[in-house]
Amino acid sequence: MSSVIVDSVSHKYMVGDITIEALHEVTLDIKKGEFFTIIGPSGCGKSTLLNIISGLIKPSSGRVLVDGNEVKGPLPGKIAYVFQAPLLLPWRTVLDNVAFGLEMQGVKKEERYKKARELIKLVGLAGFEKMYPSELSGGMQQRVALARALAVDPSVLLMDEPFGPLDEQTRLNLGIELTRIWMLTKKTIIFVTHSLAEAALLSDRIAVMSKRPGRVVKIIEVNDERPRDPESPQVQKVRAEIWNLLKKYG
Ligand code: ADP
Ligand code: MG
């Protein structure tokens, strides 16, 4: 587990002679082991923010600290990233996709397969080890991507609308599974979504962002026991609060 501090991060993209201000002075203080969600309208800079946290892009100003150390580039093994598209290697089986990061780290075959099998089981895919990505549904492919991200035992897991393209039912089910995995593995999770239901169901805290240039308009704390019921009064109240903020600032 790690803490993540986003300290007054702003970002501008230059496209020819046009400047696009994507983020405006975003500050977040994410605790060790927290399930922290970022929600905001499309184009408000959510992916930009995750890319900055992961060290893939350098902010125009401000900085990110992981466990007190400034992020100056990608930290494979410490920060893992799950994207909206599962980005699996089509010529590799489920087992070899999950073991990929460990293989890159030079972990021996027997050991990486052992670890990969444990994670495949954890994400509910036991029995599918020898299948290829094209033989799996979208939800199952995203489970493989999650297992692959967890395989290197990162302390921070970044997830960018990971269940975005899936239907509502699959998505909420995966969300509930993710809560279970998060409770077992105790990762710090920074989760981006545009779904109010997902945000209210999964998070300890939710940062609601304005439209571009994205800034944080409010941080909502969800005080509700897990596992949560999508229909519980607390979850409904949080959804309504996000909805009102997005209406005002989105
Ligand atoms: P979100 O993930 O919230 O939808 P993004 O972070 O992808 O938003 O994008 C924020 C803004 O920055 C958008 O207006 C987008 O068009 C712009 N943008 C994103 N990436 C680039 C890039 N590589 N070059 C120029 N503009 C970009
Ligand atoms: Mg995005």
Side-chain angles (χ1 to χ4, degrees):
M1 286 193 273
S2 290
S3 64
V4 177
I5 291 176
V6 176
D7 178 16
S8 201
V9 162
S10 297
H11 194 69
K12 293 188 172 91
Y13 291 105
M14 310 293 181
V15 183
D17 50 8
I18 299 167
T19 302
I20 299 168
E21 193 185 5
L23 291 170
H24 184 75
E25 293 187 2
V26 171
T27 294
L28 302 169
D29 184 351
I30 299 164
K31 299 187 196 92
K32 286 184 181 183
E34 189 169 24
F35 197 119
F36 193 93
T37 294
I38 298 164
I39 192 166
S42 173
C44 77
K46 303 182 294 298
S47 297
T48 301
L49 182 57
L50 283 199
N51 287 337
I52 289 170
I53 295 172
S54 73
L56 285 174
I57 61 178
K58 195 179 168 307
S60 308
S61 64
R63 55 190 192 145
V64 174
L65 304 173
V66 174
D67 292 332
N69 301 312
E70 187 169 350
V71 173
K72 295 202 161 141
L75 300 165
K78 182 143 186 138
I79 303 182
Y81 209 151
V82 176
F83 301 93
Q84 180 165 0
L87 303 178
L88 302 174
L89 302 169
W91 61 89
R92 283 182 162 234
T93 61
V94 167
L95 186 64
D96 278 317
N97 265 286
V98 174
F100 182 73
L102 296 171
E103 191 177 335
M104 291 294 108
Q105 290 181 343
V107 175
K108 288 206 180 72
K109 196 167 188 169
E110 198 177 322
E111 200 178 320
R112 64 176 191 258
Y113 280 172
K114 181 168 175 275
K115 181 81 194 166
R117 284 203 175 87
E118 275 168 34
L119 287 162
I120 289 167
K121 200 167 157 207
L122 180 72
V123 300
L125 287 180
F128 293 91
E129 291 81 356
K130 295 207 168 115
M131 307 272 273
Y132 288 87
S134 63
E135 299 171 308
L136 307 176
S137 70
M140 290 161 86
Q141 289 183 27
Q142 207 49 289
R143 286 172 195 263
V144 177
L146 176 60
R148 180 184 55 186
L150 291 170
V152 294
D153 202 21
S155 54
V156 182
L157 187 59
L158 305 177
M159 306 185 81
D160 193 357
E161 306 199 23
F163 312 140
L166 307 172
D167 62 87
E168 185 81 0
Q169 184 75 27
T170 307
R171 187 154 136 170
L172 290 181
N173 280 334
L174 276 172
I176 290 161
E177 288 263 304
L178 179 62
T179 310
R180 180 181 61 81
I181 292 166
W182 166 73
M183 287 165 90
L184 281 171
T185 58
K186 305 210 184 341
K187 305 291 175 197
T188 305
I189 297 187
I190 307 179
F191 187 87
V192 164
T193 184
H194 55 246
S195 160
L196 287 77
E198 229 166 57
L201 201 60
L202 304 181
S203 324
D204 288 321
R205 286 189 300 157
I206 304 161
V208 182
M209 290 180 70
S210 69
K211 65 173 188 283
R212 194 174 66 78
R215 59 197 171 80
V216 176
V217 294
K218 178 144 192 201
I219 293 183
I220 300 172
E221 217 172 309
V222 190
N223 295 305
D224 194 15
E225 302 252 300
R226 294 181 171 89
R228 292 181 186 150
D229 176 356
E231 303 305 323
S232 84
Q234 178 65 8
V235 169
Q236 296 288 346
K237 191 179 133 246
V238 170
R239 280 172 66 162
E241 188 176 1
I242 303 171
W243 173 251
N244 286 323
L245 288 164
L246 291 177
K247 239 182 354 197
K248 194 161 165 199
Y249 299 101

